[in-house]
Amino acid sequence: MRVLITGGSGFIGSHLADTYLSRGDEVFVIDDLSTGSIENIAHLKANARFHYTIDTVQNTPLLAELADGCDVIIHLAAAVGVKLIVESPVRTIETNVRGTEVVLAVANKKKKRVLIASTSEVYGLSTDVPFREDGNLVMGATTKGRWSYACSKAIDEFLALAYWREKKLPTTVVRLFNTVGPRQTGQYGMVIPTFVKQALAGRPITVYGSGEQTRCFAYVGDVVKALAALIDHEEAIGEVFNIGSSEEVSINTLAERIRTLTGSHSEIVHIPYSEAYEEGFEDMPRRVPDTSKIFSLLNFKPETTLDSILKSVIAYHSGRQGS
Ligand code: UDP
């Protein structure tokens, strides 16, 4: 198969490229390196079945050419990271909405199979935990920058599903729940790489808010397998799937586990959200996926435990300390 991965130099995209190449497929990556890194794909450059272009997906003629040459398109290119989103809302909205518009429009010309990556952020302030794909999305106020990300991704979802209903473009939407693992950078605020780097350096571990908020962290190696399996599955067309782990952990517990596993003496400090992000910032108190839909279709459940994930991330950052 010839696979086009937008955002393929990013954390998830580069792992997905690894998966396809190891299956014997041919991979084409387009990435503007805005949050991705060439380092993530450096190990793939020698592979004759790997090709990459540094450019934005909004370059329509280029994307059309790439799409025409491929069998499937996995659209991962997006603005990511709550910090980046709060600081650069214009970039977030425009990148997410325009990028997906172009991807779907070019895919539609030759009816290519498309998978659009969305996010668990779309559940917003919903307290109907665990979140089901057909549950209500509860958006916060438009004055709170954070929700622009959720809203822009919800528009991407609507558009992908509309292309299926109206134009019979075979699309699938996935909502990713806190995907983590090696190569994820802490630069855009993600909690696990941030805590691991702080612990390894002996700096304070910065828990935002009370630390009682919970998340479920899924290992990137498991998540990319699910993406590849979904795009191969006819019954996934026109559907939305949660992809995530059911192992729920509070951020306080996470900080303690990382401190223990690194053997660090870092102090754990609590920082108000207003200082960490912006005045009036709203967090999601619990974010837990209902994963029964993807399980019944693919028998898929993430296999990697939080402790194994943390060990792999710690090993990755230990090898890079100071870089
Ligand atoms: N968080 C934290 N300290 C940090 C970075 C993040 O306590 O240095 C918290 C953040 O407020 C959120 C959780 O960890 O409650 C997960 O944050 P992340 O940005 O990784 O993903 P999110 O679930 O917010 O998309």
Side-chain angles (χ1 to χ4, degrees), residues 178 189-191 194-195 206-208 213 215 251 277 283 287:
N178 294 80
M190 281 75 160
V191 68
T194 302
F195 282 5
T206 54
V207 173
Y208 299 161
Q213 71 272 28
R215 295 292 186 270
I251 301 303
Y277 299 109
D283 202 5
R287 183 191 277 168

Side-chain angles (χ1 to χ4, degrees), residues 197-249:
K197 282 168 104 173
Q198 289 169 335
L200 289 173
R203 284 185 280 120
I205 299 177
T206 54
V207 173
Y208 299 161
S210 70
E212 292 305 307
Q213 71 272 28
T214 67
R215 295 292 186 270
C216 299
F217 296 97
Y219 185 60
V220 65
D222 294 331
V223 170
V224 296
K225 276 188 211 149
L227 297 181
L230 278 176
I231 210 155
D232 285 345
H233 211 300
E234 285 269 311
E235 282 172 47
I237 294 172
E239 297 289 336
V240 179
F241 293 89
N242 289 336
I243 303 183
S245 153
S246 309
E247 191 179 348
E248 188 177 6
V249 64

Side-chain angles (χ1 to χ4, degrees), residues 12 19-20 29 38 56 64 98 138 179 182 185 192 194 207 217 232 304 313:
I12 301 175
T19 297
Y20 275 117
V29 158
I38 208 78
T56 159
R98 285 187 190 156
V138 185
T179 307
T185 163
I192 289 187
T194 302
V207 173
F217 296 97
D232 285 345
T304 316
V313 176

Side-chain angles (χ1 to χ4, degrees), residues 54-77:
I54 308 297
D55 209 326
T56 159
V57 294
Q58 292 180 47
N59 180 341
T60 310
L62 173 69
L63 196 75
E65 192 184 328
L66 286 168
D68 282 357
C70 287
D71 305 303
V72 301
I73 304 166
I74 301 181
H75 179 43
L76 299 173

